[in-house]
Amino acid sequence: MNGQSDKDITWVCHKCNQNLALKKVKVRYLEGNFEVELMKCTKCNMVYIGEDLALGKMLEVEKGLEDK
Amino acid sequence: MDLDKLLETGDKCIHTEPPICVASCPVHLDVIAFVSEIEKGDLKKAYKLMEKRIPFARLIGSICDHPCENGCSRKDAGGSIRISDLEKAVVQFGYQPQKKALELPKNKGQVAVIGAGLSGMTAAVDLTKKGYMVTLYEKSDRLGGRIWKYEGKGLEKGLIEEELQIIEKQGIKVNFNANIDHSGLKELENEVDAVYLGTGVWEEVLKIDSDTFQIEDTSVFAGGRLANKNDSIIASVNSGRRAAISIDRYISRVSLTASREREGVFETPLNYKVDKEPFIASIEKKNKYYSENEAIMEARRCMKCQCRDCINGCTHMQTFNISPNAYVRQINHNERIILGTHYANKMINSCTQCGLCKEACFLDISMKDVIHETRESMVEKGKMPLSAHDFALKDMKFSNSKKFSMVRKQPSKEASKDLFYYPVLSYSKYAKGLFRGSGKTGFLFYPGCQLSATHSEHIGEIYKYLVGTMKENYIEGDVGLYLGCCGAPADWAGRQDLMGENTQNIKKVWEENDQPTFILACSSCISIFEKYLPEIEVVSLWEIFDQYGLPQRNIKPGRRVLNIHDACATRHHSNVHKSIRNIVNSLSYKIVELDYTKDKTKCCGYGGLVYYANRDQATEFIKDRINESSEDLLVYCAMCKDLFVSGGKRTLHILDLIYGTNLDGLANKKMPTLSERHYNRTKLKMNLLNDIWGEKQGMDMMNHVDFNLIIPDDIMAIMEDRYILVEDIQQVIDHARKNDECFFNPEMNQYLARLRLENVTYWVQFEEKDKDVTVKSVYSHRMEIVEE
Ligand code: SF4
Ligand code: SF4
Ligand code: SF4
Ligand SMILES: [Zn+2]
C-alpha cells in the first residue's frame, strides 16, 4: 500500500513542527491486519494519508476485504 | 438461508427453455443460433449447426417436412419463419466438406442394420460414431431408399450421390441385394449384439415400443415407417437416431428409459407472447432458393423466442446481463463460499427490490424476495460489505435520534385557548379542530424522514390541515404528530436486528398514544408498516386529500400534461393510485399513463439502497425511467423526485401541485444535499415545536463552532459523491483547531486534519483566515490507522 509521492513530503506536523518520515505503521480493517510504510510525525506519531492513497490502493484493499 | 429452496426457485424459471420451433423439431436444430448466424451473414456457421443435429444435413435439410414451422410464434405476426427455406439456402451457400474424421476404434459390439433408407442409414452412422461395428443390409442395389424419389424434385442426383458417400467414409460395410426376411433376421440375431430394422414394411405385425423402439424385450429395434406410420422424413430420421441410442444402452446394459423425456418432439413450457411484436410479413423468395440477402432478411424476422418477461422490465438484470435462473445459481455459489471472494456481492446489492420481476413473471418468481433473503443471510453471516449500506443506516439512526424524532399529541385546548376567539374560530378549521380537542389521539401524522427533508416547509401546514379536517369528520380522535424513520433502510439492507428494534419503538409509541391510525405520506413507510406492523391501521395522506378535499388554498389549476410515476413500494395499493389520479384530475391536469404503471410500475433507482451501494446502477434506473416518459413526471415519493431531477427530468411532487407556487421552478429544483437533509429535519423539528406546541427549543440542537465554515460548490459536490456530511468535516476541523492536531504545508499555507468518527476516518484540507475556514479538499477511508 505504498503510494506516497514526493509532493506529500511538504507537510509537517503542526504541533511538533517536525518533518514527516517513512515508518512502518499498523493498519487494520475487518479481519485484515497489515504493516505498511507510511509518512508520520516521529514525535507524536500522527500518520499522514494522502487523497490518492485513501481513494486508490486503500479503497481497493477495503473493498477486497469486504468481499472476503 | 435454505439453499435447496433457493435452487428450486431458480429451476422454476423457464428462461433457458427452448422456443416451440426447437421443441417441435424432432432432432432439435438450435433454431435461434441457426437464424442468428444467418443474420450475421455467416452461412458456413449456420451449416455447421445443421450438421450438428441433422443427419445427412444436405439431403434432409433440402427435403425436410419442417414441423418446426407449424407452431412458430411469428405465425400470427407476419407468418412463421421459413426455417425450411433458410435451411435450403444454407445447404446451397454454406456447405463445406467435412474434414476427415478421426477413425475411432469400433470395439463396443456388432450391430446389423437392415434397410439402407433414411432411418437405417442414420442408425448406422450414429452407431458407428458411438464405436460399434455396423453392417448394412440393403435389398436393392443402392443406398438411400426413399431419397431417390426426390431426385429432380428438390435434390440433384450429384448431391445425393455425394452425401451418401458418408456411409463409405464412415467405414460401414454394406451388403447390397440382401433380402432379409423373418428367418434371416433370426440368424442375424444370433450373430450380432443387436439388430436395427428399417425396412419400411415387414411381413408380420411388430410390437414396437414408442419410446425405445425396442421390439418386445428382444435385441431387435425398429424405426422408420415401421414405427412412425407416417411419411415424415424428419420423423423417420429421428426414429433411427433414437433407436441407435437405445441399442447403445441395450448393449451397454444401462436403462433404456432413464431421462429421455425430451427426445423427439416435446412440449415446451415457453409460451412466447407476440402482442407487442410488430407485424412483419414473410420474405418471399424470388428464385428457387433464398438469396443470401433474402435469407438474412427472413432470419431477422425471427424473435429468438425466450422468456425474458422479467428481464425486459428490469434495468438491474439487464445491466448485469443475467436471468433469474443464472442469478440464483450465482447466489447459491456466493452463499457457499467459505474462503475466497464473494463475487456476487455487488450484484446482490444492486437490486432495487422493486418487485416488478414478480409482476412480470407468469410463474410469480420473485427475485425481490430471493435477493432480500440473501441480504439477510449475508448480514447474519457477517458477510455483508460494510460500506454498502453504512451511510443509509447512519442516516436512519440520525432520523430516529433527538435531532429529528419526536412525538406530540394534538396541542391541548388549554394550551390553545389564545386561538379561540372570533373571527379566528369561524375561518380557521385548524382552530376549530383544536377547540374540539378530546385529549384522545385518533390519528398520528407520520410524514417520514425523506419528505420531512425535501418538503419540510409544508409539513406544519399539512399538520394543521389534518387537525382541521379530521376533527371535522371524527369528533373523537385528535391528530398527533410523529417524526422519525420507518426503518426502510434497515429492511433493504437485510438488517433484521435494526428493523426489529425500530418496529418495537414505533409500536410502543402507537400503544402509548391510544393506538391511533397512522397518516402516511411516503410509499416506503406504507409498505414497511404493512410488512412489519400489520396491527397498525394506516391511511395515506393522498387518500385523505382525495376523500375530504384539498386544503383551502389558492391552488392554480394546471394545464400541462403529466406522466405519473407510481412508487414501486406501493405498486399493490390501488387506492393510492386512484387517489393520486383523482387529485391530479381535480387540479385539471391531463394524465398520460406510462407503459409501466400502477402495479407494473418501475423503481426510480433509490429502492433497495442501490443509490448507496452502486451509484452507477441507480443512474441506469433513473435513465431508463426518464427515457420512458415524454411529459413532466408527477411523483408522490420524495426520493423519486430527487432522483429524476438529478437525472435532468422535470419532475413534480404531488405536494408541489398543492402547496407550490412556482411550478416551473419546482419542476427542476435541485433537491437538498445529504447534509441539508439533516439540517432540514432538525430545523423542521425546532420549527414545529416552536410554532405549534410553543416549546422554545434551545438552539442546542444545531452544532455550533467558533469558526465560519466555507465550502465551495465543487467541494460540496464531491462530498455528496463520497457521502461526507458538513457536520463530519465541521467536527474534523473543530477537533484539529482545539487540539492542534493537524499537518501544515508552509508553501500553500494550508492545514490537513483527520478525525475518526465511528468507523470512518475523515480528512479535510483547509485554509484559515481569521474566523473563516475554507475547505480545499475532503476524503475518507474506513481502514483504521494505529498511531503508536
Ligand atoms: S420466431 Fe424464431 S425462435 Fe420463435 S418460434 Fe419462430 S423460428 Fe422459433
Ligand atoms: S426486484 Fe426489481 S430490480 Fe430487483 S430483480 Fe426484480 S425487477 Fe429487478
Ligand atoms: S419471467 Fe423471468 S423469472 Fe419468470 S420464467 Fe421468465 S425469465 Fe424466468
Ligand atoms: Zn507531531
Side-chain angles (χ1 to χ4, degrees):
Chain A
M1 234 169 37
N2 292 326
Q4 314 215 334
S5 58
D6 284 344
K7 74 165 200 263
D8 302 334
I9 314 238
T10 45
W11 292 101
V12 293
C13 177
H14 192 250
K15 187 172 11 187
C16 313
N17 202 8
Q18 279 259 340
N19 284 328
L20 310 184
L22 208 51
K23 294 279 171 202
K24 276 216 174 336
V25 174
K26 277 190 202 142
V27 301
R28 56 181 175 229
Y29 188 55
L30 304 174
E31 317 274 275
N33 275 293
F34 315 88
E35 251 191 16
V36 286
E37 294 216 308
L38 293 169
M39 299 295 284
K40 70 177 212 175
C41 169
T42 44
K43 208 162 157 197
C44 71
N45 286 323
M46 188 162 61
V47 177
Y48 167 87
I49 306 282
E51 178 161 354
D52 293 349
L53 179 61
L55 302 181
K57 196 73 198 155
M58 220 162 167
L59 182 65
E60 200 180 295
V61 174
E62 285 171 8
K63 295 258 181 233
L65 288 168
E66 286 190 343
D67 283 341
K68 273 279 167 286
Chain B
M1 183 173 195
D2 185 342
L3 292 179
D4 291 334
K5 208 183 104 209
L6 169 80
L7 289 171
E8 237 172 71
T9 306
D11 287 344
K12 271 201 282 174
C13 167
I14 65 155
H15 176 73
T16 50
E17 289 288 350
I20 184 160
C21 53
V22 174
S24 47
C25 165
V27 294
H28 308 154
L29 172 69
D30 186 345
V31 177
I32 293 183
F34 175 71
V35 293
S36 300
E37 292 302 346
I38 298 175
E39 227 179 307
K40 281 188 256 165
D42 196 339
L43 271 56
K44 286 185 183 132
K45 274 220 187 100
Y47 181 75
K48 283 270 166 265
L49 289 165
M50 283 177 68
E51 209 170 43
K52 213 166 137 193
R53 285 287 172 184
I54 307 175
F56 305 94
R58 282 202 287 170
L59 302 181
I60 307 301
S62 302
I63 60 173
C64 177
D65 46 301
H66 50 80
C68 55
E69 291 182 18
N70 298 345
C72 170
S73 317
R74 219 338 141 211
K75 193 165 56 185
D76 299 325
S80 297
I81 304 301
R82 303 203 173 156
I83 302 168
S84 161
D85 278 335
L86 289 173
E87 287 181 5
K88 286 176 192 159
V90 167
V91 166
Q92 293 304 313
F93 308 122
Y95 168 71
Q96 282 219 297
Q98 243 179 346
K99 293 197 200 82
K100 196 158 169 34
L102 234 43
E103 281 264 346
L104 287 171
K106 296 174 183 171
N107 52 14
K108 282 177 81 178
Q110 292 206 23
V111 182
V113 172
I114 305 172
L118 288 172
S119 83
M121 290 194 304
T122 301
V125 170
D126 281 7
L127 284 164
T128 307
K129 287 185 180 160
K130 287 183 203 293
Y132 293 92
M133 181 74 85
V134 179
T135 311
L136 254 173
Y137 297 85
E138 167 57 38
K139 68 169 191 286
S140 74
D141 57 359
R142 64 176 180 182
L143 297 169
R146 272 204 283 159
I147 284 282
W148 291 101
K149 283 201 207 154
Y150 294 88
E151 188 188 342
K153 293 182 209 128
L155 293 174
E156 303 305 322
K157 182 165 182 229
L159 181 71
I160 301 178
E161 280 168 351
E162 234 181 275
E163 196 74 356
L164 292 182
Q165 282 170 15
I166 291 176
I167 296 292
E168 197 192 317
K169 284 192 195 136
Q170 288 288 341
I172 297 166
K173 225 175 98 196
V174 188
N175 291 332
F176 289 110
N177 304 312
N179 199 356
I180 308 284
D181 58 6
H182 180 79
S183 63
L185 175 63
K186 285 285 156 237
E187 270 171 44
L188 277 176
E189 272 184 74
N190 289 328
E191 285 167 23
V192 295
D193 299 296
V195 180
Y196 176 77
L197 210 52
T199 51
V201 285
W202 193 247
E203 57 213 78
E204 64 213 324
V205 178
L206 300 166
K207 267 202 199 142
I208 307 166
D209 187 286
S210 59
D211 294 324
T212 66
F213 299 90
Q214 189 180 20
I215 298 176
E216 291 171 69
D217 55 358
T218 67
S219 61
V220 184
F221 297 75
R225 268 175 298 166
L226 285 178
N228 288 334
K229 315 266 185 285
N230 66 38
D231 278 337
S232 166
I233 297 280
I234 194 68
S236 183
V237 162
N238 179 52
S239 65
R241 167 155 291 174
R242 291 168 70 192
I245 294 170
S246 295
I247 290 172
D248 181 30
R249 288 182 178 212
Y250 176 82
I251 297 176
S252 313
R253 298 180 191 284
V254 293
S255 161
L256 286 189
T257 49
S259 46
R260 297 183 69 170
E261 297 77 18
R262 287 196 160 186
E263 268 178 27
V265 175
F266 64 93
E267 229 174 271
T268 176
L270 173 64
N271 178 14
Y272 194 80
K273 291 179 271 318
V274 289
D275 31 309
K276 290 214 179 86
E277 293 287 344
F279 180 99
I280 310 173
S282 312
I283 304 297
E284 300 297 336
K285 48 179 194 273
K286 296 210 180 61
N287 297 302
K288 193 160 163 211
Y289 302 111
Y290 271 144
S291 68
E292 253 187 89
N293 259 337
E294 286 168 340
I296 292 172
M297 301 271 286
E298 178 65 8
R300 259 186 216 149
R301 297 176 60 241
C302 168
M303 302 173 292
K304 326 290 179 303
C305 307
Q306 187 179 33
C307 186
R308 296 179 55 87
D309 291 352
C310 60
I311 304 167
N312 286 340
C314 171
T315 302
H316 166 49
M317 287 192 273
Q318 286 165 22
T319 307
F320 283 81
N321 191 15
I322 198 162
S323 63
N325 56 343
Y327 205 135
V328 160
R329 281 200 305 277
Q330 289 210 18
I331 290 178
N332 176 56
H333 182 70
N334 213 61
E335 281 285 297
R336 285 180 203 268
I337 292 174
I338 296 171
L339 283 175
T341 302
H342 293 71
Y343 288 106
N345 284 356
K346 186 162 185 186
M347 178 172 73
I348 294 164
N349 284 327
S350 303
C351 156
T352 60
Q353 305 198 10
C354 70
L356 178 56
C357 43
K358 185 178 176 188
E359 298 311 307
C361 176
F362 75 112
L363 293 168
D364 285 345
I365 295 172
S366 168
M367 289 311 287
K368 170 190 177 173
D369 294 340
V370 166
I371 290 161
H372 186 81
E373 214 184 301
T374 306
R375 289 192 194 172
E376 280 179 10
S377 162
M378 286 162 71
V379 169
E380 261 167 47
K381 289 193 288 197
K383 293 292 181 193
M384 178 59 87
L386 180 61
S387 62
H389 307 130
D390 197 33
F391 184 87
L393 293 172
K394 283 177 182 160
D395 195 48
M396 167 176 158
K397 195 166 156 197
F398 173 93
S399 292
N400 284 327
S401 75
K402 285 205 177 68
K403 297 224 171 214
F404 175 59
S405 187
M406 70 168 200
V407 189
R408 286 293 179 280
K409 287 180 177 302
Q410 179 173 313
S412 70
K413 270 176 91 164
E414 175 56 28
S416 318
K417 57 178 187 287
D418 285 358
L419 290 173
F420 306 154
Y421 60 85
Y422 187 81
V424 176
L425 263 185
S426 68
Y427 69 75
S428 164
K429 282 199 186 185
Y430 174 56
K432 255 186 263 176
L434 293 178
F435 186 72
R436 291 186 181 131
S438 65
K440 187 175 172 297
T441 305
F443 301 92
L444 256 188
F445 176 39
Y446 190 85
C449 60
Q450 296 295 11
L451 191 73
S452 299
T454 60
H455 290 74
S456 35
E457 68 272 35
H458 307 315
I459 302 296
E461 266 193 83
I462 297 171
Y463 175 69
K464 288 181 180 173
Y465 158 86
L466 286 171
V467 170
T469 304
M470 300 324 274
K471 289 304 290 182
E472 197 172 51
N473 293 282
Y474 300 86
I475 295 302
E476 261 304 293
D478 288 359
V479 182
L481 180 83
Y482 182 3
L483 299 182
C485 168
C486 67
D491 179 57
W492 280 327
R495 289 291 299 267
Q496 284 304 298
D497 52 336
L498 296 177
M499 197 63 229
E501 240 174 71
N502 214 51
T503 309
Q504 280 318 309
N505 289 338
I506 296 176
K507 200 166 161 192
K508 201 161 145 247
V509 169
W510 177 64
E511 276 163 354
E512 287 170 358
N513 287 279
D514 318 312
Q515 307 194 340
T517 295
F518 274 59
I519 299 174
L520 304 177
C522 168
S523 288
S524 298
C525 294
I526 295 179
S527 75
I528 289 291
F529 272 74
E530 191 168 57
K531 180 170 173 187
Y532 293 99
L533 292 155
E535 60 273 48
I536 299 184
E537 227 172 282
V538 304
V539 59
S540 75
L541 178 61
W542 327 127
E543 288 166 279
I544 290 179
F545 280 154
D546 180 26
Q547 189 175 347
Y548 301 110
L550 294 175
Q552 294 165 314
R553 296 176 48 89
N554 182 16
I555 305 174
K556 283 207 198 77
R559 276 176 305 269
R560 50 178 116 237
V561 182
L562 296 172
N563 288 147
I564 295 184
H565 164 82
D566 290 297
C568 61
T570 40
R571 68 169 69 255
H572 294 301
H573 296 73
S574 52
N575 44 344
V576 171
H577 306 156
K578 217 161 65 210
S579 302
I580 290 291
R581 283 158 179 79
N582 287 345
I583 297 168
V584 174
N585 277 327
S586 76
L587 295 174
S588 3
Y589 292 88
K590 185 173 176 323
I591 298 170
V592 173
E593 295 288 355
L594 295 169
D595 273 356
Y596 287 90
T597 191
K598 298 178 187 168
D599 58 335
K600 298 245 167 26
T601 190
K602 285 181 173 176
C603 176
C604 63
Y606 188 76
L609 301 181
V610 172
Y611 183 72
Y612 303 99
N614 183 350
R615 187 73 74 88
D616 291 341
Q617 175 74 91
T619 305
E620 290 303 318
F621 271 91
I622 299 168
K623 267 199 249 158
D624 173 64
R625 192 57 163 165
I626 290 178
N627 284 342
E628 206 189 319
S629 128
S630 52
E631 309 294 336
D632 287 0
L633 274 175
L634 183 277
V635 301
Y636 45 93
C637 173
M639 292 318 296
C640 298
K641 163 143 179 162
D642 187 347
L643 266 61
F644 292 140
V645 171
S646 80
K649 178 76 182 172
R650 288 172 51 92
T651 309
L652 290 161
H653 190 280
I654 184 90
L655 288 183
D656 297 339
L657 300 192
I658 301 169
Y659 289 97
T661 39
N662 168 13
L663 285 193
D664 266 325
L666 285 174
N668 299 313
K669 190 179 149 204
K670 208 183 149 296
M671 299 303 273
T673 62
L674 298 165
S675 303
E676 284 163 345
R677 279 169 202 266
H678 277 199
Y679 178 85
N680 289 352
R681 286 181 197 138
T682 302
K683 192 85 188 144
L684 171 64
K685 174 175 177 179
M686 287 164 55
N687 287 346
L688 290 173
L689 284 176
N690 189 43
D691 301 349
I692 295 181
W693 283 273
E695 294 177 31
K696 301 277 177 250
Q697 194 82 8
M699 283 296 146
D700 57 348
M701 282 181 61
M702 295 291 183
N703 303 317
H704 288 281
V705 285
D706 62 357
F707 54 89
N708 254 340
L709 188 59
I710 301 165
I711 306 175
D713 285 352
D714 54 332
I715 301 289
M716 200 65 226
I718 289 174
M719 288 167 57
E720 282 291 286
D721 275 351
R722 299 180 181 169
Y723 305 109
I724 298 174
L725 299 172
V726 173
E727 59 209 66
D728 298 331
I729 62 174
Q730 210 170 33
Q731 285 189 66
V732 177
I733 297 169
D734 198 36
H735 176 90
R737 284 163 58 99
K738 287 193 173 130
N739 302 284
D740 194 15
E741 252 184 60
C742 59
F743 298 103
F744 181 64
N745 186 319
E747 283 159 51
M748 295 193 283
N749 202 17
Q750 286 183 7
Y751 300 87
L752 176 67
R754 53 92 188 92
L755 184 64
R756 191 155 181 92
L757 298 171
E758 233 177 296
N759 49 13
V760 179
T761 303
Y762 297 92
W763 288 83
V764 184
Q765 189 173 327
F766 58 93
E767 208 171 61
E768 272 185 353
K769 203 181 227 173
D770 305 327
K771 288 255 157 208
D772 287 348
V773 172
T774 308
V775 179
K776 294 292 173 182
S777 78
V778 284
Y779 52 94
S780 68
H781 56 79
R782 293 182 170 268
M783 202 165 266
E784 197 185 344
I785 314 291
V786 187
E787 291 183 349
E788 52 173 29

